[in-house]
Amino acid sequence: MAISRRAFLQAAGLGATAVAVTACGPTMAPPGQTMPSASPTPTTTTRPPAVPADWEKLRGQLAGKLVLPSDAGYATAKLAYNPLFDSRQPAAVAQVANPSDVQACVALAYASRIPIAARSGGHSYVGYSTPDSGLVVDLGGMKDVQVASDGTATIGAGARLMEVYAALADAGRCLPAGSCPTVGIGGLTLGGGVGVLTTKYGLTCDKLVSAQIVTGDGKLRTVSASQEPDLFWALRGGGGGNFGIVTSFTFQTEPAPQLTVFQLQFPSGSVGDVLGGWQQFVADAPDELWTTMGVSGGNPPTCRINGCFVGSQSGLNPLLNKLVAATGTQPSDRYTLSKSYLDAMRYFGGCASFSNAQCTPSWNGNGVLKRESFTATSRVLAKPLSDTGKFAELMAGRNGMDVLLDSIGGAAARVGATDTAFPHRGSLATVQIYQGSTAASVRTAVGEVRDNLGDLIGAGAYVNYIDAGVKDWGTAYYGSNVTKLRKVAQQYDPDGVLSFDQSVAKA
Protein backbone atom coordinates (compact mmCIF):
# COMPACT_ATOMS: atom_id res chain seq x y z
CA MET A 1 0.00 0.00 0.00
CA ALA A 2 1.40 3.40 -0.96
CA ILE A 3 1.16 6.29 1.49
CA SER A 4 0.53 9.86 0.40
CA ARG A 5 2.29 12.84 1.93
CA ARG A 6 -1.12 14.46 2.55
CA ALA A 7 -2.18 11.50 4.69
CA PHE A 8 0.62 11.81 7.18
CA LEU A 9 0.57 15.61 7.12
CA GLN A 10 -2.87 15.27 8.66
CA ALA A 11 -1.89 12.39 10.93
CA ALA A 12 1.31 13.88 12.30
CA GLY A 13 0.66 17.55 11.71
CA LEU A 14 4.06 18.05 10.10
CA GLY A 15 5.18 19.82 6.95
CA ALA A 16 7.43 18.41 4.28
CA THR A 17 10.92 19.83 4.35
CA ALA A 18 11.63 20.87 0.83
CA VAL A 19 14.71 20.08 -1.18
CA ALA A 20 15.84 23.10 -3.11
CA VAL A 21 18.16 22.54 -6.04
CA THR A 22 21.47 21.30 -4.70
CA ALA A 23 22.59 18.35 -2.62
CA CYS A 24 25.58 16.35 -1.30
CA GLY A 25 28.06 13.43 -1.84
CA PRO A 26 31.38 11.68 -0.92
CA THR A 27 33.98 13.62 1.03
CA MET A 28 37.26 12.66 -0.53
CA ALA A 29 38.53 14.32 -3.70
CA PRO A 30 39.06 11.91 -6.59
CA PRO A 31 42.66 11.20 -7.58
CA GLY A 32 44.33 14.15 -9.25
CA GLN A 33 41.85 16.73 -8.03
CA THR A 34 42.91 19.67 -5.91
CA MET A 35 40.89 21.46 -3.28
CA PRO A 36 42.26 24.98 -2.78
CA SER A 37 41.89 26.28 0.75
CA ALA A 38 42.22 29.97 -0.06
CA SER A 39 39.17 31.89 -1.22
CA PRO A 40 39.36 33.04 -4.84
CA THR A 41 39.48 36.66 -5.80
CA PRO A 42 36.14 37.79 -7.26
CA THR A 43 36.46 38.26 -11.00
CA THR A 44 34.44 39.30 -13.98
CA THR A 45 35.17 36.73 -16.64
CA THR A 46 34.77 36.80 -20.38
CA ARG A 47 33.17 33.55 -21.41
CA PRO A 48 33.86 32.10 -24.84
CA PRO A 49 30.95 31.74 -27.25
CA ALA A 50 28.51 28.98 -26.38
CA VAL A 51 29.01 25.63 -28.08
CA PRO A 52 26.41 22.88 -28.59
CA ALA A 53 26.26 20.40 -25.72
CA ASP A 54 28.32 17.32 -26.59
CA TRP A 55 26.27 14.68 -24.80
CA GLU A 56 28.23 11.72 -26.08
CA LYS A 57 31.45 13.27 -24.81
CA LEU A 58 29.84 13.77 -21.41
CA ARG A 59 28.55 10.20 -21.44
CA GLY A 60 32.09 8.99 -21.92
CA GLN A 61 33.40 11.13 -19.07
CA LEU A 62 30.94 9.89 -16.46
CA ALA A 63 31.47 7.02 -14.08
CA GLY A 64 27.72 7.22 -13.65
CA LYS A 65 25.04 7.20 -16.32
CA LEU A 66 23.74 9.83 -18.73
CA VAL A 67 20.09 9.53 -19.71
CA LEU A 68 18.90 11.41 -22.80
CA PRO A 69 15.30 11.80 -24.03
CA SER A 70 15.94 9.08 -26.61
CA ASP A 71 17.19 6.61 -23.99
CA ALA A 72 15.14 3.96 -22.25
CA GLY A 73 14.30 5.05 -18.74
CA TYR A 74 14.24 8.79 -19.46
CA ALA A 75 10.56 9.14 -18.55
CA THR A 76 11.32 7.87 -15.04
CA ALA A 77 14.77 9.41 -14.67
CA LYS A 78 13.44 12.94 -15.12
CA LEU A 79 10.73 12.69 -12.45
CA ALA A 80 10.69 14.98 -9.44
CA TYR A 81 8.52 14.41 -6.37
CA ASN A 82 5.63 16.61 -7.50
CA PRO A 83 3.78 15.43 -10.64
CA LEU A 84 3.11 19.10 -11.39
CA PHE A 85 6.52 19.12 -13.11
CA ASP A 86 6.08 15.95 -15.19
CA SER A 87 5.67 18.02 -18.35
CA ARG A 88 9.18 19.42 -18.01
CA GLN A 89 11.68 18.04 -20.47
CA PRO A 90 15.30 18.26 -19.32
CA ALA A 91 17.85 17.93 -22.09
CA ALA A 92 19.57 15.21 -20.07
CA VAL A 93 19.73 13.59 -16.64
CA ALA A 94 23.21 12.76 -15.37
CA GLN A 95 23.05 10.08 -12.70
CA VAL A 96 26.41 10.96 -11.19
CA ALA A 97 28.63 8.66 -9.17
CA ASN A 98 31.37 10.95 -7.80
CA PRO A 99 32.59 14.56 -7.65
CA SER A 100 34.46 14.21 -10.96
CA ASP A 101 31.14 13.46 -12.65
CA VAL A 102 29.71 16.64 -11.14
CA GLN A 103 32.67 18.66 -12.40
CA ALA A 104 32.16 17.30 -15.90
CA CYS A 105 28.51 18.34 -15.78
CA VAL A 106 29.34 21.85 -14.60
CA ALA A 107 31.97 22.17 -17.34
CA LEU A 108 29.41 21.23 -19.99
CA ALA A 109 26.89 23.73 -18.60
CA TYR A 110 29.54 26.45 -18.63
CA ALA A 111 30.54 25.75 -22.23
CA SER A 112 27.04 25.31 -23.66
CA ARG A 113 25.18 27.85 -21.49
CA ILE A 114 22.39 25.39 -20.71
CA PRO A 115 20.65 25.45 -17.31
CA ILE A 116 22.00 23.03 -14.72
CA ALA A 117 20.51 21.98 -11.39
CA ALA A 118 21.32 19.34 -8.81
CA ARG A 119 18.63 16.98 -7.55
CA SER A 120 18.73 14.95 -4.35
CA GLY A 121 15.20 14.25 -3.13
CA GLY A 122 13.54 16.26 -5.89
CA HIS A 123 11.15 18.10 -3.56
CA SER A 124 11.74 21.65 -4.83
CA TYR A 125 8.37 23.33 -4.38
CA VAL A 126 8.58 25.12 -7.72
CA GLY A 127 10.54 22.43 -9.55
CA TYR A 128 13.89 24.16 -9.82
CA SER A 129 15.62 20.77 -9.72
CA THR A 130 13.97 19.85 -13.06
CA PRO A 131 14.88 22.62 -15.53
CA ASP A 132 13.31 22.53 -18.98
CA SER A 133 15.98 21.96 -21.66
CA GLY A 134 18.60 21.82 -18.93
CA LEU A 135 20.89 19.28 -17.30
CA VAL A 136 19.67 17.54 -14.15
CA VAL A 137 22.55 16.37 -11.95
CA ASP A 138 20.89 13.46 -10.18
CA LEU A 139 22.83 12.75 -6.99
CA GLY A 140 20.75 9.71 -6.04
CA GLY A 141 23.62 7.28 -6.50
CA MET A 142 25.78 9.12 -3.97
CA LYS A 143 24.13 8.18 -0.70
CA ASP A 144 26.68 6.57 1.60
CA VAL A 145 26.52 7.43 5.29
CA GLN A 146 29.78 6.91 7.18
CA VAL A 147 29.91 7.46 10.95
CA ALA A 148 33.34 8.01 12.49
CA SER A 149 34.42 7.10 16.01
CA ASP A 150 34.33 10.77 17.05
CA GLY A 151 30.63 11.01 16.20
CA THR A 152 31.00 12.88 12.93
CA ALA A 153 29.03 11.53 9.99
CA THR A 154 29.83 12.04 6.32
CA ILE A 155 26.68 11.80 4.24
CA GLY A 156 26.53 11.29 0.50
CA ALA A 157 24.74 13.44 -2.02
CA GLY A 158 21.74 11.30 -2.77
CA ALA A 159 20.94 10.24 0.78
CA ARG A 160 17.29 10.65 1.70
CA LEU A 161 16.35 11.28 5.28
CA MET A 162 15.16 7.78 6.13
CA GLU A 163 18.45 6.38 4.84
CA VAL A 164 20.29 8.90 7.01
CA TYR A 165 18.23 8.13 10.10
CA ALA A 166 18.60 4.37 9.71
CA ALA A 167 22.38 4.51 9.26
CA LEU A 168 22.88 6.89 12.18
CA ALA A 169 20.63 4.82 14.44
CA ASP A 170 22.72 1.73 13.67
CA ALA A 171 25.69 3.66 15.10
CA GLY A 172 23.70 4.93 18.09
CA ARG A 173 23.71 8.50 16.76
CA CYS A 174 21.18 11.09 15.61
CA LEU A 175 20.98 14.27 13.55
CA PRO A 176 18.29 16.96 13.84
CA ALA A 177 16.56 17.03 10.47
CA GLY A 178 13.15 16.99 8.78
CA SER A 179 10.11 14.76 8.94
CA CYS A 180 9.55 13.77 5.30
CA PRO A 181 11.55 10.55 4.74
CA THR A 182 12.08 11.03 0.99
CA VAL A 183 13.57 14.52 1.26
CA GLY A 184 17.26 14.71 0.41
CA ILE A 185 19.80 15.77 3.01
CA GLY A 186 21.26 18.35 0.62
CA GLY A 187 18.44 20.81 0.06
CA LEU A 188 17.29 20.42 3.65
CA THR A 189 20.68 21.43 5.06
CA LEU A 190 21.39 24.22 2.60
CA GLY A 191 18.13 25.97 3.45
CA GLY A 192 18.55 25.55 7.21
CA GLY A 193 16.77 22.35 8.18
CA VAL A 194 13.81 22.58 10.59
CA GLY A 195 12.69 19.33 12.17
CA VAL A 196 11.47 17.43 15.20
CA LEU A 197 14.70 17.84 17.21
CA THR A 198 15.32 21.49 16.33
CA THR A 199 14.75 22.96 19.78
CA LYS A 200 17.05 20.43 21.45
CA TYR A 201 19.90 20.21 18.94
CA GLY A 202 19.42 23.12 16.52
CA LEU A 203 18.84 23.25 12.78
CA THR A 204 20.43 20.65 10.51
CA CYS A 205 22.85 23.30 9.21
CA ASP A 206 23.94 24.07 12.80
CA LYS A 207 25.52 20.60 12.99
CA LEU A 208 27.50 21.04 9.77
CA VAL A 209 31.27 20.71 10.21
CA SER A 210 32.39 20.83 6.60
CA ALA A 211 31.17 20.31 3.05
CA GLN A 212 32.65 19.37 -0.28
CA ILE A 213 31.32 21.37 -3.20
CA VAL A 214 31.85 21.87 -6.92
CA THR A 215 31.41 25.61 -7.25
CA GLY A 216 30.05 27.40 -10.28
CA ASP A 217 33.60 28.04 -11.50
CA GLY A 218 34.07 24.26 -11.77
CA LYS A 219 36.48 23.83 -8.85
CA LEU A 220 36.14 21.13 -6.21
CA ARG A 221 36.53 22.63 -2.75
CA THR A 222 36.31 21.57 0.86
CA VAL A 223 34.87 24.31 3.05
CA SER A 224 34.60 24.70 6.81
CA ALA A 225 34.83 27.38 9.47
CA SER A 226 38.56 27.63 8.76
CA GLN A 227 38.59 26.92 5.00
CA GLU A 228 36.77 29.45 2.83
CA PRO A 229 34.59 30.55 5.75
CA ASP A 230 32.34 32.89 3.76
CA LEU A 231 31.22 30.03 1.53
CA PHE A 232 30.78 27.77 4.57
CA TRP A 233 28.63 30.51 6.14
CA ALA A 234 26.50 30.74 3.00
CA LEU A 235 25.91 26.99 2.81
CA ARG A 236 24.25 27.07 6.23
CA GLY A 237 20.87 28.50 5.28
CA GLY A 238 21.65 30.25 1.99
CA GLY A 239 19.48 27.90 -0.04
CA GLY A 240 20.25 25.18 -2.55
CA GLY A 241 21.80 25.75 -5.96
CA ASN A 242 23.20 29.21 -5.34
CA PHE A 243 26.94 28.60 -5.11
CA GLY A 244 27.62 25.17 -6.55
CA ILE A 245 26.69 21.52 -6.21
CA VAL A 246 27.55 20.11 -2.81
CA THR A 247 28.99 16.61 -3.04
CA SER A 248 29.19 15.74 0.65
CA PHE A 249 28.35 16.99 4.11
CA THR A 250 30.15 16.16 7.33
CA PHE A 251 28.04 16.68 10.45
CA GLN A 252 28.63 16.47 14.16
CA THR A 253 25.97 14.05 15.37
CA GLU A 254 24.51 13.46 18.84
CA PRO A 255 23.92 10.26 20.82
CA ALA A 256 20.53 8.88 19.80
CA PRO A 257 18.05 9.63 22.61
CA GLN A 258 14.89 7.91 23.75
CA LEU A 259 11.95 10.02 22.60
CA THR A 260 8.27 10.43 23.36
CA VAL A 261 5.90 11.55 20.61
CA PHE A 262 2.48 13.01 21.26
CA GLN A 263 -0.65 14.50 19.75
CA LEU A 264 -3.34 16.77 21.15
CA GLN A 265 -6.47 17.03 19.00
CA PHE A 266 -8.69 20.00 19.80
CA PRO A 267 -12.41 20.51 19.12
CA SER A 268 -13.67 22.47 16.13
CA GLY A 269 -13.85 26.21 16.57
CA SER A 270 -10.94 26.45 19.02
CA VAL A 271 -8.16 27.54 16.62
CA GLY A 272 -7.86 31.10 17.97
CA ASP A 273 -7.64 30.04 21.61
CA VAL A 274 -5.27 27.15 20.96
CA LEU A 275 -2.95 29.28 18.82
CA GLY A 276 -2.91 31.99 21.47
CA GLY A 277 -1.90 29.54 24.18
CA TRP A 278 0.54 27.59 22.00
CA GLN A 279 2.51 30.63 20.87
CA GLN A 280 2.91 31.82 24.46
CA PHE A 281 3.92 28.34 25.63
CA VAL A 282 6.58 27.70 22.97
CA ALA A 283 8.32 30.98 23.73
CA ASP A 284 9.45 29.53 27.08
CA ALA A 285 9.23 25.79 26.47
CA PRO A 286 12.24 23.66 27.46
CA ASP A 287 14.62 22.64 24.70
CA GLU A 288 13.61 19.01 25.12
CA LEU A 289 10.07 19.69 23.89
CA TRP A 290 9.50 20.45 20.21
CA THR A 291 5.98 21.16 19.02
CA THR A 292 4.15 21.84 15.80
CA MET A 293 0.63 23.21 15.52
CA GLY A 294 -1.44 22.15 12.54
CA VAL A 295 -4.56 23.98 11.40
CA SER A 296 -6.88 22.39 8.83
CA GLY A 297 -9.23 24.64 6.91
CA GLY A 298 -12.98 24.11 7.09
CA ASN A 299 -16.20 25.40 8.56
CA PRO A 300 -15.01 25.87 11.21
CA PRO A 301 -11.27 25.13 10.99
CA THR A 302 -9.80 22.48 13.28
CA CYS A 303 -6.41 22.21 14.92
CA ARG A 304 -4.00 19.85 16.64
CA ILE A 305 -0.61 20.04 18.33
CA ASN A 306 1.96 17.33 17.71
CA GLY A 307 5.46 17.06 18.96
CA CYS A 308 8.49 15.24 20.21
CA PHE A 309 10.02 15.17 23.69
CA VAL A 310 13.58 14.12 24.46
CA GLY A 311 12.77 12.05 27.51
CA SER A 312 10.12 9.83 29.03
CA GLN A 313 6.33 9.99 29.09
CA SER A 314 6.46 10.81 32.79
CA GLY A 315 8.64 13.83 32.02
CA LEU A 316 6.42 14.94 29.15
CA ASN A 317 2.98 14.78 30.77
CA PRO A 318 3.43 17.74 33.15
CA LEU A 319 4.55 19.87 30.22
CA LEU A 320 1.51 18.86 28.19
CA ASN A 321 -0.70 19.74 31.15
CA LYS A 322 0.88 23.19 31.16
CA LEU A 323 0.40 23.55 27.40
CA VAL A 324 -3.27 22.54 27.60
CA ALA A 325 -3.81 25.01 30.44
CA ALA A 326 -2.27 27.78 28.34
CA THR A 327 -4.77 27.13 25.54
CA GLY A 328 -7.75 27.15 27.90
CA THR A 329 -9.19 24.30 25.84
CA GLN A 330 -9.45 20.63 26.71
CA PRO A 331 -8.31 18.41 23.85
CA SER A 332 -10.82 15.95 22.43
CA ASP A 333 -8.03 13.40 22.08
CA ARG A 334 -4.61 13.07 23.71
CA TYR A 335 -1.99 10.39 23.39
CA THR A 336 1.72 9.88 24.04
CA LEU A 337 3.99 7.09 22.81
CA SER A 338 7.54 6.25 23.88
CA LYS A 339 9.80 5.45 20.92
CA SER A 340 13.42 4.95 20.00
CA TYR A 341 15.03 7.64 17.85
CA LEU A 342 14.62 5.62 14.65
CA ASP A 343 11.06 4.57 15.43
CA ALA A 344 10.15 8.18 16.16
CA MET A 345 11.54 9.31 12.81
CA ARG A 346 9.53 6.58 11.09
CA TYR A 347 6.44 7.69 13.00
CA PHE A 348 6.79 11.31 11.88
CA GLY A 349 7.47 10.12 8.33
CA GLY A 350 4.26 8.11 8.18
CA CYS A 351 6.19 4.83 8.13
CA ALA A 352 5.51 3.43 11.59
CA SER A 353 4.03 0.25 10.09
CA PHE A 354 6.74 -0.27 7.50
CA SER A 355 10.38 -1.27 7.37
CA ASN A 356 13.15 1.20 6.65
CA ALA A 357 13.52 -0.28 3.16
CA GLN A 358 9.82 0.25 2.49
CA CYS A 359 9.96 3.84 3.74
CA THR A 360 11.43 4.95 0.42
CA PRO A 361 9.99 6.35 -2.83
CA SER A 362 7.64 4.08 -4.74
CA TRP A 363 8.38 5.89 -8.03
CA ASN A 364 11.99 4.75 -8.27
CA GLY A 365 12.07 1.62 -6.15
CA ASN A 366 10.01 -0.72 -4.00
CA GLY A 367 9.02 1.82 -1.38
CA VAL A 368 5.54 2.66 -0.13
CA LEU A 369 5.78 6.46 -0.37
CA LYS A 370 4.16 7.75 -3.51
CA ARG A 371 4.42 11.01 -5.42
CA GLU A 372 1.77 13.62 -4.80
CA SER A 373 0.70 16.83 -6.44
CA PHE A 374 0.72 19.76 -4.04
CA THR A 375 0.91 23.53 -3.80
CA ALA A 376 2.75 25.06 -0.86
CA THR A 377 4.39 28.21 0.41
CA SER A 378 5.45 29.75 3.72
CA ARG A 379 5.67 32.58 6.18
CA VAL A 380 7.57 32.96 9.46
CA LEU A 381 5.94 33.70 12.82
CA ALA A 382 8.52 36.14 14.17
CA LYS A 383 6.62 37.00 17.36
CA PRO A 384 3.28 36.17 18.99
CA LEU A 385 0.25 37.17 16.95
CA SER A 386 -1.96 39.57 18.90
CA ASP A 387 -5.26 38.68 17.22
CA THR A 388 -5.27 34.92 16.75
CA GLY A 389 -8.93 35.03 15.75
CA LYS A 390 -7.91 36.64 12.45
CA PHE A 391 -5.65 33.66 11.75
CA ALA A 392 -8.63 31.35 12.28
CA GLU A 393 -10.73 33.48 9.94
CA LEU A 394 -8.15 33.03 7.16
CA MET A 395 -8.72 29.26 7.27
CA ALA A 396 -12.51 29.36 7.31
CA GLY A 397 -13.87 27.46 4.32
CA ARG A 398 -10.38 26.43 3.13
CA ASN A 399 -11.22 22.75 2.84
CA GLY A 400 -8.19 20.60 2.08
CA MET A 401 -5.67 23.24 3.15
CA ASP A 402 -3.31 22.83 6.10
CA VAL A 403 -1.18 25.44 7.83
CA LEU A 404 1.67 23.97 9.85
CA LEU A 405 3.59 25.98 12.44
CA ASP A 406 6.90 24.31 13.30
CA SER A 407 8.72 25.66 16.36
CA ILE A 408 12.27 26.97 15.80
CA GLY A 409 13.17 28.10 19.32
CA GLY A 410 15.52 26.55 21.87
CA ALA A 411 18.97 25.66 20.59
CA ALA A 412 18.19 27.04 17.12
CA ALA A 413 17.33 30.43 18.62
CA ARG A 414 20.64 30.72 20.47
CA VAL A 415 22.60 31.03 17.22
CA GLY A 416 22.92 34.61 15.99
CA ALA A 417 20.86 35.75 12.99
CA THR A 418 24.07 36.57 11.08
CA ASP A 419 26.20 33.70 12.39
CA THR A 420 24.84 31.55 9.56
CA ALA A 421 22.88 32.52 6.46
CA PHE A 422 19.61 31.35 8.08
CA PRO A 423 18.10 34.65 9.29
CA HIS A 424 15.04 33.61 11.31
CA ARG A 425 16.76 33.04 14.65
CA GLY A 426 14.55 34.05 17.54
CA SER A 427 11.34 33.58 15.57
CA LEU A 428 8.69 31.32 17.04
CA ALA A 429 7.98 29.13 14.03
CA THR A 430 8.14 28.56 10.33
CA VAL A 431 4.65 28.50 8.84
CA GLN A 432 3.95 26.18 5.91
CA ILE A 433 0.76 26.57 3.87
CA TYR A 434 0.04 23.31 2.04
CA GLN A 435 -2.72 21.85 -0.10
CA GLY A 436 -2.57 18.52 -1.91
CA SER A 437 -3.50 19.77 -5.37
CA THR A 438 -1.99 21.89 -8.13
CA ALA A 439 -5.25 23.14 -9.66
CA ALA A 440 -5.26 26.82 -10.57
CA SER A 441 -7.95 27.52 -7.99
CA VAL A 442 -5.83 25.90 -5.28
CA ARG A 443 -2.74 27.88 -6.28
CA THR A 444 -4.79 31.05 -6.05
CA ALA A 445 -6.17 30.09 -2.64
CA VAL A 446 -2.75 29.20 -1.23
CA GLY A 447 -1.38 32.50 -2.51
CA GLU A 448 -4.23 34.41 -0.88
CA VAL A 449 -3.57 32.81 2.50
CA ARG A 450 0.17 33.48 2.11
CA ASP A 451 -0.38 37.15 1.39
CA ASN A 452 -3.07 37.67 4.03
CA LEU A 453 -0.98 35.84 6.60
CA GLY A 454 1.94 38.06 5.67
CA ASP A 455 -0.18 41.07 6.55
CA LEU A 456 -0.77 39.55 9.99
CA ILE A 457 2.63 38.16 10.96
CA GLY A 458 5.17 39.73 8.61
CA ALA A 459 6.73 39.06 5.23
CA GLY A 460 9.43 36.56 6.25
CA ALA A 461 9.49 33.16 4.53
CA TYR A 462 11.48 29.90 4.64
CA VAL A 463 13.60 29.21 1.56
CA ASN A 464 13.13 25.44 1.82
CA TYR A 465 9.47 26.09 0.99
CA ILE A 466 10.48 28.22 -1.99
CA ASP A 467 7.70 29.99 -3.87
CA ALA A 468 7.98 32.20 -6.96
CA GLY A 469 4.95 34.21 -5.81
CA VAL A 470 6.59 35.62 -2.67
CA LYS A 471 7.11 39.37 -3.01
CA ASP A 472 10.61 40.70 -2.31
CA TRP A 473 11.65 37.09 -1.88
CA GLY A 474 15.34 37.83 -1.33
CA THR A 475 14.61 39.75 1.85
CA ALA A 476 11.79 37.36 2.84
CA TYR A 477 14.11 34.34 2.70
CA TYR A 478 17.40 35.83 3.84
CA GLY A 479 16.69 39.08 5.68
CA SER A 480 19.75 41.29 6.04
CA ASN A 481 21.98 38.36 5.06
CA VAL A 482 20.97 38.75 1.42
CA THR A 483 23.70 41.31 0.65
CA LYS A 484 26.52 39.05 1.80
CA LEU A 485 24.96 36.07 0.04
CA ARG A 486 24.96 37.94 -3.27
CA LYS A 487 28.67 38.65 -2.84
CA VAL A 488 29.44 35.00 -2.12
CA ALA A 489 27.45 33.90 -5.18
CA GLN A 490 29.37 36.35 -7.37
CA GLN A 491 32.66 35.15 -5.92
CA TYR A 492 32.11 31.44 -6.52
CA ASP A 493 29.87 31.50 -9.60
CA PRO A 494 30.91 34.71 -11.42
CA ASP A 495 29.41 33.58 -14.72
CA GLY A 496 26.04 32.54 -13.29
CA VAL A 497 26.41 28.94 -14.45
CA LEU A 498 23.99 27.82 -11.73
CA SER A 499 21.59 30.72 -12.16
CA PHE A 500 17.83 30.13 -11.83
CA ASP A 501 14.80 32.34 -11.35
CA GLN A 502 15.22 32.73 -7.59
CA SER A 503 18.96 32.31 -7.26
CA VAL A 504 20.63 34.56 -4.70
CA ALA A 505 22.41 36.56 -7.39
CA LYS A 506 19.01 37.77 -8.62
CA ALA A 507 17.65 38.70 -5.19
Side-chain angles (χ1 to χ4, degrees):
M1 178 181 71
I3 294 176
S4 72
R5 181 64 179 148
R6 166 77 178 169
F8 59 84
L9 274 170
Q10 291 182 316
L14 293 173
T17 304
V19 170
V21 289
T22 190
C24 56
T27 53
M28 299 304 295
Q33 297 291 347
T34 60
M35 297 186 292
S37 58
S39 297
T41 301
T43 59
T44 300
T45 64
T46 301
R47 294 174 70 177
V51 298
D54 188 338
W55 297 117
E56 291 308 314
K57 178 180 178 182
L58 180 62
R59 195 192 300 270
Q61 291 174 320
L62 298 182
K65 181 180 180 182
L66 185 69
V67 185
L68 300 176
S70 58
D71 293 333
Y74 172 82
T76 299
K78 75 184 184 73
L79 294 179
Y81 176 78
N82 192 337
L84 173 65
F85 309 115
D86 284 359
S87 62
R88 298 210 179 156
Q89 296 293 315
V93 178
Q95 297 170 336
V96 294
N98 56 43
S100 291
D101 283 3
V102 175
Q103 288 182 290
C105 291
V106 171
L108 180 141
Y110 172 88
S112 63
R113 313 280 178 90
I114 67 168
I116 182 173
R119 186 176 73 201
S120 182
H123 285 249
S124 173
Y125 277 17
V126 286
Y128 288 138
S129 57
T130 310
D132 257 329
S133 302
L135 174 58
V136 175
V137 181
D138 181 354
L139 298 152
M142 301 166 66
K143 59 183 182 180
D144 288 347
V145 179
Q146 300 291 332
V147 184
S149 59
D150 64 356
T152 57
T154 297
I155 300 178
R160 299 174 186 267
L161 293 187
M162 188 49 59
E163 295 165 332
V164 173
Y165 293 146
L168 292 180
D170 281 346
R173 310 296 296 184
C174 82
L175 181 71
S179 60
C180 182
T182 61
V183 157
I185 190 66
L188 174 78
T189 303
L190 295 171
V194 177
V196 302
L197 296 175
T198 288
T199 55
K200 177 63 175 176
Y201 300 119
L203 303 177
T204 310
C205 72
D206 295 338
K207 309 304 289 185
L208 189 64
V209 174
S210 66
Q212 190 181 67
I213 180 173
V214 176
T215 45
D217 56 13
K219 296 179 180 178
L220 180 66
R221 309 173 187 276
T222 295
V223 301
S224 65
S226 59
Q227 291 180 281
E228 309 196 56
D230 284 351
L231 180 55
F232 181 64
W233 173 89
L235 296 182
R236 291 174 292 155
N242 284 308
F243 317 102
I245 298 175
V246 176
T247 60
S248 74
F249 294 104
T250 298
F251 297 98
Q252 181 60 54
T253 65
E254 299 287 342
Q258 188 70 21
L259 302 171
T260 303
V261 301
F262 72 90
Q263 182 175 94
L264 305 172
Q265 186 75 41
F266 292 91
S268 299
S270 61
V271 170
D273 291 337
V274 174
L275 176 57
W278 176 80
Q279 65 181 4
Q280 296 297 333
F281 175 83
V282 297
D284 297 312
D287 291 0
E288 289 74 17
L289 180 60
W290 176 84
T291 61
T292 178
M293 180 173 172
V295 179
S296 294
N299 286 307
T302 59
C303 65
R304 62 207 173 268
I305 298 175
N306 290 73
C308 182
F309 178 66
V310 181
S312 66
Q313 287 177 286
S314 61
L316 170 62
N317 281 320
L319 294 172
L320 293 188
N321 292 340
K322 184 178 179 181
L323 172 56
V324 169
T327 69
T329 308
Q330 282 300 312
S332 55
D333 185 52
R334 169 175 170 165
Y335 69 79
T336 62
L337 297 169
S338 180
K339 291 183 175 290
S340 69
Y341 162 67
L342 180 57
D343 284 345
M345 298 306 103
R346 290 167 57 193
Y347 163 85
F348 284 113
C351 294
S353 301
F354 300 94
S355 68
N356 297 333
Q358 290 175 310
C359 193
T360 55
S362 60
W363 64 92
N364 64 358
N366 298 316
V368 299
L369 300 178
K370 67 179 184 179
R371 303 167 73 225
E372 185 173 5
S373 297
F374 68 92
T375 301
T377 184
S378 70
R379 287 298 182 196
V380 173
L381 183 64
K383 60 183 179 180
L385 176 62
S386 59
D387 189 345
T388 56
K390 289 184 178 180
F391 183 100
E393 290 172 7
L394 288 180
M395 296 299 289
R398 304 284 188 181
N399 295 315
M401 187 182 297
D402 289 292
V403 174
L404 305 150
L405 299 96
D406 293 341
S407 175
I408 50 174
R414 289 193 289 274
V415 178
T418 61
D419 290 347
T420 69
F422 183 86
H424 305 300
R425 309 290 185 169
S427 296
L428 293 179
T430 57
V431 183
Q432 181 178 197
I433 306 159
Y434 183 102
Q435 188 156 355
S437 170
T438 57
S441 59
V442 168
R443 294 197 296 273
T444 297
V446 168
E448 288 175 352
V449 172
R450 174 200 64 215
D451 294 343
N452 291 334
L453 193 56
D455 291 339
L456 290 179
I457 68 174
Y462 180 31
V463 70
N464 273 355
Y465 304 148
I466 200 164
D467 170 16
V470 172
K471 297 177 182 178
D472 191 16
W473 51 266
T475 301
Y477 292 135
Y478 307 118
S480 63
N481 292 334
V482 68
T483 301
K484 183 176 178 180
L485 284 167
R486 286 194 205 102
K487 292 179 180 178
V488 175
Q490 172 61 28
Q491 187 173 14
Y492 289 94
D493 186 14
D495 294 302
V497 175
L498 292 142
S499 178
F500 59 99
D501 286 350
Q502 286 181 285
S503 54
V504 160
K506 296 182 179 181

